[in-house]
Amino acid sequence: DTAVSQTPKYLVTQMGNDKSIKCEQNLGHDTMYWYKQDSKKFLKIMFSYNNKELIINETVPNRFSPKSPDKAHLNLHINSLELGDSAVYFCASSQWDRDYGYTFGSGTRLTVV
Amino acid sequence: ELKVEQNPLFLSMQEGKNYTIYCNYSTTSDRLYWYRQDPGKSLESLFVLLSNGAVKQEGRLMASLDTKARLSTLHITAAVHDLSATYFCAVVFGNEKLTFGTGTRLTIIP
């Protein structure tokens, strides 16, 4: 009964390819996020959706495009992958304006070669 | 600019000793979280601090929040090897934006 599940867990791909990472949460939360963790372990928010509406869109290359078909899913599509995109990507969810905390998925380790 | 800073970035301590990790943030917020991350793993929630003066304890870890000073501390008492991990504080700003500190990589030496 994984609360926030991401697939795939590992992704190795060549430069220039397009790839997607999927995220699903079964907590009934209305807000979902994508975070990027770089090689120095620094975590930075990329996007946030509340009830399928984009509410946070940080300074991220437009090669990254999130899509939220419903409030339980938030996918991340990356076009024309570059070496610098190699990182661990975490999906998370929360209930808007509640103090229940943020629940993170297990992460997707993306390696671009 | 929103900033969340932790210090120290790296901490090596002997088992049985006490130490404190500090988390400073730049803009008013009344919600602060502490997370633990083991190598290659996800983020595990440790504490949620919601008001000025909040103090929470779980085992050998105790977290506190001073919203006026924009400071939170994570105190480790009588460290044991199992506590070796990276610890992050994170602060909620507008639009439910959870902003993370730089992380403190804690290593407990026998």
Side-chain angles (χ1 to χ4, degrees):
Chain A
D1 284 357
T2 306
V4 180
S5 59
Q6 294 178 229
T7 54
K9 191 169 174 64
Y10 300 97
L11 187 51
V12 181
T13 188
Q14 288 187 322
M15 282 176 57
N17 283 351
D18 304 338
K19 290 293 177 185
S20 291
I21 306 172
K22 295 187 175 181
C23 180
E24 175 181 3
Q25 55 97 2
N26 62 6
L27 297 167
H29 288 166
D30 59 7
T31 307
M32 295 184 73
Y33 311 80
W34 279 111
Y35 279 83
K36 178 180 179 180
Q37 187 171 43
D38 63 22
S39 58
K40 295 184 179 179
K41 303 295 184 189
F42 188 65
L43 279 150
K44 187 168 169 56
I45 191 166
M46 300 173 69
F47 303 103
S48 171
Y49 271 75
N50 175 260
N51 280 319
K52 302 194 297 176
E53 181 184 349
L54 182 66
I55 54 170
I56 295 174
N57 185 358
E58 293 293 288
T59 307
V60 174
N62 58 16
R63 298 181 294 102
F64 290 79
S65 53
K67 284 212 174 100
S68 181
D70 56 60
K71 74 174 193 176
H73 295 84
L74 180 61
N75 303 322
L76 183 65
H77 189 75
I78 315 169
N79 289 328
S80 304
L81 278 154
E82 299 178 358
L83 293 177
D85 298 332
S86 296
V88 180
Y89 294 83
F90 285 100
C91 177
S93 72
S94 72
Q95 182 62 25
W96 179 270
D97 210 25
R98 289 285 189 269
D99 302 326
Y100 303 148
Y102 295 69
T103 304
F104 283 80
S106 57
T108 296
R109 182 174 294 274
L110 171 65
T111 304
V112 183
V113 298
Chain B
E1 183 186 347
L2 302 175
K3 278 188 179 177
V4 182
E5 295 179 335
Q6 283 180 239
N7 69 82
L9 297 183
F10 298 93
L11 177 56
S12 226
M13 51 190 293
Q14 284 188 312
E15 279 190 326
K17 299 288 187 183
N18 304 333
Y19 210 81
T20 300
I21 299 170
Y22 297 88
C23 173
N24 288 92
Y25 52 99
S26 61
T27 305
T28 301
S29 172
D30 58 4
R31 273 191 285 163
L32 188 141
Y33 301 81
W34 283 96
Y35 286 90
R36 168 181 172 146
Q37 187 179 35
D38 292 298
K41 302 292 186 183
S42 185
L43 292 123
E44 174 192 353
S45 178
L46 295 175
F47 300 108
V48 180
L49 301 169
L50 301 174
S51 59
N52 187 41
V55 177
K56 291 202 174 172
Q57 183 161 5
E58 181 74 34
R60 301 175 188 273
L61 300 178
M62 183 173 71
S64 66
L65 178 61
D66 180 343
T67 57
K68 292 179 182 175
R70 297 178 189 163
L71 171 69
S72 179
T73 61
L74 180 67
H75 187 73
I76 303 150
T77 302
V80 293
H81 181 70
D82 286 353
L83 291 178
S84 294
T86 299
Y87 292 85
F88 292 94
C89 65
V91 181
V92 177
F93 296 109
N95 269 351
E96 296 296 302
K97 182 176 174 179
L98 185 67
T99 301
F100 281 84
T102 45
T104 297
R105 193 171 299 185
L106 174 64
T107 304
I108 310 294
I109 304 166

